[in-house]
Amino acid sequence: EVQLLESGGGLVQSGGSLRISCAASGFPLRSFAISWVRQAPGKGLEWVSTISPDGTTTYYAKSVKGRFIFSKDNSKSTLYLQMSSLRGEDTAIYYCVKEGYCTSTYCYEGFHIWGHGTTVTVSS
Amino acid sequence: QSLLTQPPSASGSPGQRVTVSCSGSSSNLGKNPITWYQQLPGTAPKLLIYNNNQRPSGVPDRFSASKSGTSASLAISGLQSGDEADYYCASWDDSLNGWAFGGGTKLTVL
């Protein structure tokens, strides 16, 4: 079964740092892009970052660029989001998401499998 | 401000058909496929539509979608109480070089 399990969320002070993790199982991590999507309390979904299947390319939302670093360890099937200079507006549930819905012939763009999320709260 | 624009709310009675619109631009919907997500209360989102109008296995055919130019819509027919959820559209944006989400539409089943 394809699964993504986030961990590492918690309470951190404004300006502080936190690393959240995503353990992937049930699929070859080096074959799929993975993204982080967050949802602030009572708000909509916001894309945060995407890492390419081989881990060599990362994309970031403007709101986190320069503060967040997305990395992966294929040998451990684990992904990491290192967050620094945290702000109140970073408070959210962070979802780890496997991209690519695959049929028998092709993989299409899309956020296919979502984890349950980990909550990050930044206090001032 | 979201790059993709959705109405904040929609509603319908059981059995009715309701549509949710999503409006974008040439850098997202004009070039890239749209995806739709359903988020039931208190749960993680779920992929509802991919490649503009395709349903993943397990998604009932009551859900359909279309895209034309820089606009798209999601239709839900035979509305059920269990369809009450937030619905989001999303597409890759070439200018942003990232994913753009709509602000979400809260569907209420009356």
Side-chain angles (χ1 to χ4, degrees), chain B residues 5-44:
Chain B
T5 302
Q6 297 181 237
S9 63
S11 63
S13 299
Q16 283 188 332
R17 182 177 185 270
V18 66
T19 61
V20 177
S21 62
C22 178
S23 177
S25 68
S26 58
S27 63
N28 41 65
L29 298 190
K31 289 181 182 175
N32 300 304
I34 190 170
T35 54
W36 289 92
Y37 303 87
Q38 177 193 57
Q39 187 176 31
L40 297 170
T43 68

Side-chain angles (χ1 to χ4, degrees), chain B residues 52-65:
Chain B
N52 299 322
N53 55 18
Q54 304 297 303
R55 288 184 307 277
S57 62
V59 173
D61 59 7
R62 299 187 299 106
F63 294 90
S64 62

Side-chain angles (χ1 to χ4, degrees), chain A residues 39 44 99 101 108 111 114-115, chain B residues 37 39 44-45 50-51 57 88 99:
Chain A
Q39 187 168 35
E99 292 197 28
Y101 179 79
Y108 296 89
F111 298 112
W114 296 66
Chain B
Y37 303 87
Q39 187 176 31
Y50 68 95
N51 197 32
S57 62
Y88 296 89
W99 283 91

Side-chain angles (χ1 to χ4, degrees), chain A residues 5-46:
Chain A
L5 185 61
E6 305 93 336
S7 61
L11 178 64
V12 60
Q13 284 196 327
S14 180
S17 298
L18 189 68
R19 188 179 80 165
I20 58 177
S21 303
C22 172
S25 61
F27 68 98
L29 186 58
R30 52 175 52 89
S31 296
F32 292 91
I34 304 291
S35 290
W36 288 97
V37 175
R38 69 184 181 184
Q39 187 168 35
K43 302 295 185 182
L45 302 175
E46 180 190 13

Side-chain angles (χ1 to χ4, degrees), chain A residues 33-112:
Chain A
I34 304 291
S35 290
W36 288 97
V37 175
R38 69 184 181 184
Q39 187 168 35
K43 302 295 185 182
L45 302 175
E46 180 190 13
W47 170 77
V48 174
S49 181
T50 295
I51 193 164
S52 61
D54 62 5
T56 60
T57 305
T58 49
Y59 305 88
Y60 298 96
K62 286 182 185 176
S63 57
V64 306
K65 196 165 189 176
R67 301 188 298 123
F68 289 13
I69 298 174
F70 192 2
S71 62
K72 67 189 294 194
D73 185 337
N74 282 330
S75 66
K76 294 183 178 179
S77 293
T78 303
L79 304 106
Y80 308 97
L81 187 66
Q82 179 68 47
M83 304 181 290
S84 58
S85 301
L86 283 162
R87 309 163 181 165
E89 54 264 38
D90 295 317
T91 294
I93 298 172
Y94 285 73
Y95 294 103
C96 177
V97 194
K98 169 189 167 289
E99 292 197 28
Y101 179 79
C102 299
T103 65
S104 57
T105 55
Y106 192 73
C107 286
Y108 296 89
E109 294 180 351
F111 298 112
H112 181 207

